[in-house]
Amino acid sequence: MASNHRELGVQTRDLSRSFGARTILDSITLDIPAGQFVALLGRSGSGKSTLLRALAGLDHDVEGSGTLRVPEKTSVVFQDSRLLPWQRVLANVLFGQPRSLHAAGQARLAEVGLAGRERAWPAELSGGEQQRVALARSLVDEPDLLLADEPFGALDALTRIKMHELLRDLIARHTPTVLLVTHDVDEAITLAQRVLVLDAGRLTVDLPIDLPARRDPGDPEFQHIRRTLLGALGVVPAAA
């Protein structure tokens, strides 16, 4: 169910999803205030992408008697840039949008560092540049909610660092609510104001991240949060 209220981020009550006898989401209740950046961690098969698809309106078989509310203006960015190879860069950014957003498309490309590349073909771009185009496309109509499904998972380490900086700047400028699905604990702590852990279809951790906007992985508090989350994921013993 979509809402026109800008103050709404995400709200779910008792959201469930099963595939055959297997329960993937088990009565998920979640509130995300408008403008908050939330990262969602979980092991493979924990239900992260299933939850994101439900919030994006891409899965109509979610169950339960509860609520599912997201803003009407919601966009999604995936690990694969999903650019149309037969369309030039600006046409990809504006795909499905009214002609009135032509100038906005050019502005978003400039914001992601691709001014002057409007008429390039996707094949002429690096993987990082293609993801920059995908980010520009996801923000061209100023969405109230941005859902990101491991958007940097296929990029090399140095490119990921640059993309983290870019995403942080874009979110500060456009202020959507963000739900970022990731396997990367450091990425979650670096970017988010709040980190959730999904385990066996249930939210088992809901941790606010009280760190400066520009975060140092060497900071003892960063490392404490990291150990707490790795413990919740079963990677290391839980932090004391």
Side-chain angles (χ1 to χ4, degrees):
M1 177 179 178
S3 169
N4 290 315
H5 297 298
R6 181 66 176 89
E7 292 305 310
L8 172 69
V10 169
Q11 183 183 77
T12 76
R13 295 289 182 272
D14 298 323
L15 185 71
S16 297
R17 179 67 164 100
S18 298
F19 293 91
R22 185 183 177 200
T23 298
I24 304 299
L25 300 177
D26 188 1
S27 299
I28 297 293
T29 292
L30 174 63
D31 290 295
I32 302 177
Q36 189 173 68
F37 192 134
V38 176
L40 178 64
L41 291 167
R43 287 173 278 195
S44 295
S46 62
K48 302 185 305 299
S49 293
T50 301
L51 177 57
L52 184 140
R53 286 177 57 82
L55 297 179
L58 300 175
D59 186 345
H60 301 290
D61 293 321
V62 290
E63 304 159 350
S65 59
T67 298
L68 170 56
R69 292 196 179 102
V70 298
E72 184 173 343
K73 291 180 68 174
T74 295
S75 66
V76 186
V77 60
F78 298 95
Q79 183 178 118
D80 181 345
S81 64
R82 304 198 178 190
L83 302 184
L84 302 175
W86 58 87
Q87 295 274 17
R88 296 184 188 269
V89 163
L90 182 57
N92 267 284
V93 171
L94 295 172
F95 184 75
Q97 301 292 347
R99 294 178 62 86
S100 60
L101 287 181
H102 186 273
Q106 292 180 309
R108 295 300 85 75
L109 283 172
E111 287 178 355
V112 301
L114 292 175
R117 304 299 303 277
E118 292 87 353
R119 291 192 55 77
W121 297 104
E124 298 173 343
L125 305 180
S126 68
E129 288 172 332
Q130 290 181 18
Q131 280 303 91
R132 287 172 183 262
V133 175
L135 281 174
R137 180 178 58 196
S138 71
L139 294 170
V140 70
D141 67 342
E142 300 289 353
D144 296 322
L145 174 63
L146 176 63
L147 301 169
D149 194 0
E150 298 191 70
F152 312 132
L155 304 179
D156 64 82
L158 290 178
T159 302
R160 284 169 70 98
I161 292 171
K162 293 178 181 178
M163 293 298 283
H164 290 166
E165 291 289 328
L166 175 62
L167 181 61
R168 185 186 292 113
D169 291 344
L170 289 170
I171 297 310
R173 184 176 296 122
H174 296 283
T175 68
T177 307
V178 182
L179 180 64
L180 169 71
V181 168
T182 179
H183 279 99
D184 188 331
V185 170
D186 287 352
E187 180 172 85
I189 303 170
T190 295
L191 291 171
Q193 298 168 301
R194 176 184 173 197
V195 178
L196 308 174
V197 174
L198 189 63
D199 185 21
R202 290 181 174 270
L203 292 172
T204 57
V205 172
D206 186 342
L207 184 65
I209 307 298
D210 186 16
L211 292 171
R214 305 287 174 173
R215 296 168 187 180
D216 178 5
D219 182 331
E221 182 60 20
F222 188 108
Q223 288 300 314
H224 175 73
I225 294 169
R226 184 176 190 273
R227 187 170 181 83
T228 297
L229 292 172
L230 288 173
L233 293 165
V235 177
V236 300

